[in-house]
């Protein structure tokens, strides 16, 4: 099976580095490679560079920048053809507790709020996106009314919401527990074709569950809606009433898109006792709500596609050393797979980047 080469660029100096992805030996990885080559690279789909590198604590896409972007897109929605108004306004202190509060390692302590995300605020923001967009199977009443500009603005509510969540989490971890900073790469493209997952593909949920390893490559979640795990985490393990369940979706599709984990391993073993406790609590909650934790159709976990060849790509398997090497190169310049390749000679900070995305949606 062909490997995947990802070329990263220092946008200021134009220097490049690269890494290689070795696909897993399973049917899903084979189908992903085919989709990546035929649906994405050969068609030269537009790479979403404003929704790509997440959780790197030191970034030009600061919390202040992201909040300003949110306010800009909300203005577009409020002034649009839709009969819909978002009253919230966003700033760093609105979405997280400031560093004037103590920040300890016990995130659930009422005295250690420093740099913690304000989950209710972010849940309300994401709810606006869900109401406006709907799901793949059930588009909202607003979806057909939207112009390209409004569609793009609504999409950014979701993208920036998740980027803020990962940035806040990593910035707090960099203070209280640097080993567990969670950088990642979300490699998505506009108008990417989707394909239906098979029962064979879904076995990957049972094999991998919620484990993630440094350099692990995973299927991107290419549909709208909250997962059962997100509801459990974000909403405090609520009783699953009909209203709550309406927003829950189980992954139905795969595409040529992919995510890369750049944080240290999170495994169901003694190295990650907090992860084990969360999974045990999650499974208990599922059973209380009449779900089978081992039903692959519930899409519980991550579908693993392969691994980055860390040693040959970076000369090390140490996460902190890899972050240092990548730090000035958080811009995907080119992706190659077999004879297929695509070059992305633009940057999220370019004046015409948003216009490029709008044109891709027309």
């Amino acid at each position: 099976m062909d490997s995947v080469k990802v070329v990263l660029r220092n946008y200021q100096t134009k220097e490049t580095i690269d890494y290689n992805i070795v696909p897993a030996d399973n049917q899903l990885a084979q189908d992903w490679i085919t989709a990546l080559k035929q649906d994405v690279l050969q068609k030269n789909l537009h790479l979403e560079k404003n929704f790509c590198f997440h959780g790197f604590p030191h970034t030009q896409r600061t919390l202040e920048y992201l909040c300003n972007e949110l306010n800009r897109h909300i203005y577009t929605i409020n002034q649009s053809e839709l009969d819909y108004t978002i009253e919230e306004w966003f700033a760093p202190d609105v979405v997280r507790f400031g560093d004037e509060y103590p920040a300890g390692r016990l995130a659930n302590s009422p005295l250690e709020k420093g740099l913690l995300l304000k989950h209710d605020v972010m849940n309300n923001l994401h709810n606006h996106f869900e109401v406006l967009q709907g799901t793949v199977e059930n588009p909202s009443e607003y979806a057909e009314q939207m112009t390209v500009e409004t569609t793009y603005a609504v999409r950014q509510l979701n993208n920036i919401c998740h980027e803020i969540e990962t940035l806040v989490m990593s910035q707090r971890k960099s203070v209280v527990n640097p080993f567990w900073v969670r950088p990642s790469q979300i490699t998505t493209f506009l108008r990417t074709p989707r394909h239906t997952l098979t029962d064979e593909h879904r076995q990957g949920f049972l094999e991998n569950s919620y484990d993630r390893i440094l350099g692990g490559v995973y299927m991107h979640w290419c549909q709208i809606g909250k997962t059962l795990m997100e509801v459990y985490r974000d909403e405090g393990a609520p009783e699953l009433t009909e209203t709550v369940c309406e927003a829950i979706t189980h992954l139905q599709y795969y595409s040529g898109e992919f995510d890369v984990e750049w944080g240290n391993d999170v495994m169901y073993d003694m190295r990650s006792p907090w992860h084990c406790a969360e999974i045990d609590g999650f499974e208990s909650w599922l059973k209380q709500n009449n779900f089978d934790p081992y039903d692959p159709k519930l899409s519980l976990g991550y579908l693993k596609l392969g691994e980055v060849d860390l040693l040959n790509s970076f000369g090390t398997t140490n996460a902190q050393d890899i972050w240092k090497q990548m730090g000035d190169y958080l811009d995907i310049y080119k992706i190659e797979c077999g004879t297929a390749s695509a070059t992305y000679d633009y940057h999220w900070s370019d004046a015409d980047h948003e216009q490029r995305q709008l044109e891709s949606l027309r």
Side-chain angles (χ1 to χ4, degrees):
M1 200 187 314
D2 292 325
S3 63
V4 179
K5 180 179 180 179
V6 180
V7 180
L8 305 177
R9 174 176 60 172
N10 182 316
Y11 193 64
Q12 278 72 40
T13 68
K14 309 303 180 185
E15 296 175 295
T16 62
I17 61 175
D18 59 72
Y19 65 84
N20 282 293
I21 297 170
V22 180
D25 184 16
N26 59 44
Q27 187 60 50
L28 177 61
Q30 292 179 27
D31 293 339
W32 165 63
I33 287 291
T34 299
L36 175 64
K37 289 195 287 189
Q38 296 181 359
D39 295 342
V40 175
L41 301 182
Q42 291 176 4
K43 295 179 181 178
N44 198 21
L45 296 187
H46 184 90
L47 172 65
E48 286 197 285
K49 291 198 174 186
N50 58 329
F51 189 68
C52 194
F53 290 98
H54 294 250
F56 287 83
H58 305 292
T59 171
Q60 292 178 319
R61 295 177 66 83
T62 63
L63 191 55
E64 183 176 15
Y65 171 83
L66 293 176
C67 288
N68 288 339
E69 286 293 283
L70 260 184
N71 294 329
R72 182 169 69 88
H73 294 302
I74 287 171
Y75 179 82
T76 297
I77 293 167
N78 288 345
Q79 293 294 103
S80 75
E81 64 284 355
L82 304 181
D83 183 18
Y84 193 93
T85 301
I86 300 174
E87 297 183 350
E88 292 89 346
W89 180 87
F90 292 88
D93 285 343
V94 173
V95 301
R96 77 171 176 192
F97 292 96
D99 58 10
E100 69 273 18
Y101 291 90
R105 294 179 68 165
L106 298 177
N108 59 348
S109 168
L111 300 178
E112 297 176 339
K113 295 184 175 70
L115 304 180
L116 274 179
L117 186 74
K118 297 180 179 178
H119 286 287
D120 286 347
V121 173
M122 303 312 293
N123 285 339
N124 288 338
L125 170 62
H126 200 270
N127 185 63
H128 285 302
F129 168 72
E130 292 170 352
V131 170
L132 287 167
Q133 188 67 53
T135 66
V136 174
E137 291 82 8
N138 297 296
S140 79
E141 60 182 292
Y142 301 100
E144 292 185 357
Q145 305 173 35
M146 295 183 198
T147 64
V148 167
E149 287 74 16
T150 307
T151 299
Y152 178 78
V154 170
R155 182 183 181 89
Q156 300 319 302
L157 297 185
N158 180 57
N159 287 359
I160 297 174
C161 175
H162 291 301
E163 188 172 356
I164 286 175
E165 288 172 342
T166 56
L167 178 60
V168 169
M169 183 184 300
S170 282
Q171 288 185 337
R172 186 177 193 278
K173 288 284 179 63
S174 70
V175 172
V176 302
N177 199 354
F179 183 85
W180 289 116
V181 171
R182 307 304 308 162
S184 63
Q185 175 186 320
I186 313 297
T187 319
T188 59
F189 306 83
L190 293 183
R191 296 197 178 280
T192 310
R194 286 181 297 227
H195 307 276
T196 303
L197 287 169
T198 67
D199 289 342
E200 182 179 1
H201 293 156
R202 289 179 177 279
Q203 291 305 305
F205 288 118
L206 300 181
E207 295 165 4
N208 188 76
S209 186
Y210 285 92
D211 288 349
R212 290 175 78 89
I213 64 169
L214 173 63
V217 181
Y218 303 91
M219 179 59 64
H220 178 68
W221 192 278
C222 56
Q223 68 187 58
I224 298 165
K226 277 200 166 188
T227 67
L228 282 161
M229 175 58 90
E230 286 172 330
V231 171
Y232 174 77
R233 283 175 175 166
D234 298 346
E235 301 182 28
E239 180 183 354
L240 289 181
T241 62
E242 184 176 341
T243 302
V244 175
C245 288
E246 282 182 358
I248 296 173
T249 61
H250 313 306
L251 188 62
Q252 303 293 322
Y253 309 99
Y254 73 92
S255 70
E257 299 169 306
F258 60 97
D259 300 343
V260 184
E261 178 63 59
W262 293 114
N264 282 299
D265 297 359
V266 176
M267 307 290 286
Y268 190 83
D269 60 26
M270 293 183 65
R271 293 173 295 175
S272 310
W274 51 271
H275 177 61
C276 297
E278 180 179 58
I279 297 302
D280 291 344
F282 176 57
E283 291 188 355
S284 176
W285 174 75
L286 288 173
K287 292 175 182 177
Q288 291 170 12
N289 286 279
N290 300 313
F291 285 105
D292 178 3
Y294 303 104
D295 181 356
K297 292 185 179 180
L298 294 181
S299 309
L300 303 178
Y302 306 105
L303 292 174
K304 190 175 179 184
L305 300 173
E307 296 182 26
V308 174
D309 185 351
L310 297 175
L311 197 58
N312 286 321
S313 299
F314 298 101
T316 179
T317 57
N318 180 275
Q320 284 85 345
D321 291 342
I322 293 172
W323 302 341
K324 289 178 183 178
Q325 290 186 48
M326 291 182 64
D328 293 327
Y329 295 85
L330 298 182
D331 178 42
I332 296 177
Y333 177 67
K334 189 174 185 179
I335 299 177
E336 302 175 0
C337 184
T339 59
S341 69
T343 300
Y344 311 100
D345 193 13
Y346 47 88
H347 188 254
W348 60 263
S349 65
D350 290 344
D352 66 341
H353 178 58
E354 185 167 312
Q355 190 59 40
R356 287 173 179 262
Q357 292 186 300
L358 289 169
E359 290 171 0
S360 296
L361 291 171
R362 294 189 193 281

